[in-house]
Amino acid sequence: AEGAVFYYRAVSRDIVAPDAVWIMGPTTTETLTLLTCYPDWVFSHRLVVRAALVASGPRNGPAPGTSRPRTPF
């Protein structure tokens, strides 16, 4: 959402084959999926990091667990 900030926590890390398209399928919870080629200079696999949404709020509101305003991006 425009003007919102979302906080995620990494919950898993996997190394998969390049044809493991299931990793991009829908999830039952709000999930961030990051993909990159792996390992360096070979790129025969994909490193997949999954993260779960832990908090969200307005961009100018306090960061979760604090009373301090966030620094604007």
Side-chain angles (χ1 to χ4, degrees):
E2 188 175 334
V5 176
F6 300 89
Y7 291 87
Y8 289 84
R9 175 172 288 122
V11 295
S12 69
R13 182 187 69 170
D14 295 294
I15 296 173
V16 299
D19 61 353
V21 294
W22 59 268
I23 203 72
M24 294 303 297
T27 61
T28 58
T29 60
E30 295 172 322
T31 303
L32 174 69
T33 303
L34 303 171
L35 298 165
T36 189
C37 295
Y38 180 85
D40 287 342
W41 309 111
V42 177
F43 311 123
S44 59
H45 290 79
R46 303 296 177 260
L47 172 63
V48 181
V49 177
R50 290 261 172 114
L53 181 65
V54 294
S56 64
R59 184 177 298 231
N60 296 330
T66 73
S67 58
R68 297 177 301 155
R70 291 188 191 93
T71 303
F73 296 100

